Amino acid sequence: LAKAIYNQLSATFTEKSFIEDIAHLSETRSNIRLDEQLLLDVLKTKVEIPSNEMERRMIRERLSGKRVLIVLDDVPEFDASLVWKCVEWFRGGTVIIITTRDVDLPRILQVDSVFRLKLMDEDESLELLSWHAFGEAKPKEEYNYLAKSVVSH
């Protein structure tokens, strides 16, 4: 869903970044790597950030005031620092979309709006899996048992 929204909005922004599965990335890489990815996406050049002071100066000089679309997908509760930085760095017309399972994060960040998704039931989950795995609404008969087993997990 986050990627679909990003794809729909991205044409109206010259600077944009989509960082997916931050919860997983946070386990394997430090926050500074996420910062570098964001800067790479927005500036379209590889940037190595040797220190926090250098990072702040670079952002002030090169990114301040830009209108940016940022999607941070699956932000864990303990990793709100990147979100705070994004809020501080960009102003005026910037859109930051955050997906998270942490119900307190929107309250902590004082966001403009929250859209809560309801979980899919088994039939909806099976249809979603089928579209992705088989390119049709229902799994082929020989995969039906396996697909239902995957959905139940």
Side-chain angles (χ1 to χ4, degrees):
L1 184 59
K3 189 65 166 181
I5 292 169
Y6 174 82
N7 289 338
Q8 190 173 34
L9 295 176
S10 65
T12 63
F13 290 83
T14 53
E15 284 85 17
K16 50 199 164 240
S17 179
F18 183 92
I19 303 177
E20 65 183 323
D21 202 8
I22 291 175
H24 176 70
L25 288 176
S26 296
E27 294 171 6
T28 59
R29 302 191 317 191
S30 68
N31 272 351
I32 198 156
R33 300 292 172 240
L34 294 173
D35 297 353
E36 288 174 0
Q37 181 62 49
L38 179 64
L39 291 169
L40 171 65
D41 292 348
V42 174
L43 298 174
K44 294 162 185 65
T45 57
K46 178 137 178 69
V47 178
E48 289 190 26
I49 304 170
S51 69
N52 285 340
E53 179 53 40
M54 177 89 138
E55 175 188 41
R56 282 190 290 274
R57 189 177 30 191
M58 181 184 304
I59 294 205
R60 272 194 308 271
E61 291 171 1
R62 297 173 76 183
L63 300 178
S64 184
K66 289 191 182 258
R67 185 175 173 269
V68 182
L69 171 62
I70 301 168
V71 177
L72 304 173
D73 184 41
D74 197 16
V75 175
E77 63 182 285
F78 57 84
D79 193 18
S81 62
L82 181 61
V83 178
W84 277 114
K85 288 177 186 177
C86 289
V87 171
E88 290 174 7
W89 291 345
F90 306 105
R91 299 277 186 237
T94 290
V95 174
I96 302 172
I97 298 172
I98 303 162
T99 66
T100 184
R101 292 183 172 111
D102 178 11
V103 295
D104 289 330
L105 191 60
R107 181 185 50 76
I108 293 167
L109 295 175
Q110 301 174 343
V111 300
D112 294 332
S113 61
V114 174
F115 181 78
R116 297 193 192 284
L117 294 177
K118 72 173 187 70
L119 291 177
M120 290 185 276
D121 64 26
E122 278 198 32
D123 291 334
E124 292 167 323
S125 298
L126 183 60
E127 183 177 348
L128 179 63
L129 173 67
S130 297
W131 278 114
H132 284 279
F134 309 113
E136 50 193 69
K138 293 184 180 190
K140 294 178 176 23
E141 189 61 41
E142 62 265 25
Y143 297 111
N144 196 37
Y145 175 77
L146 181 60
K148 284 184 177 183
S149 179
V150 167
V151 164
S152 71
H153 282 73

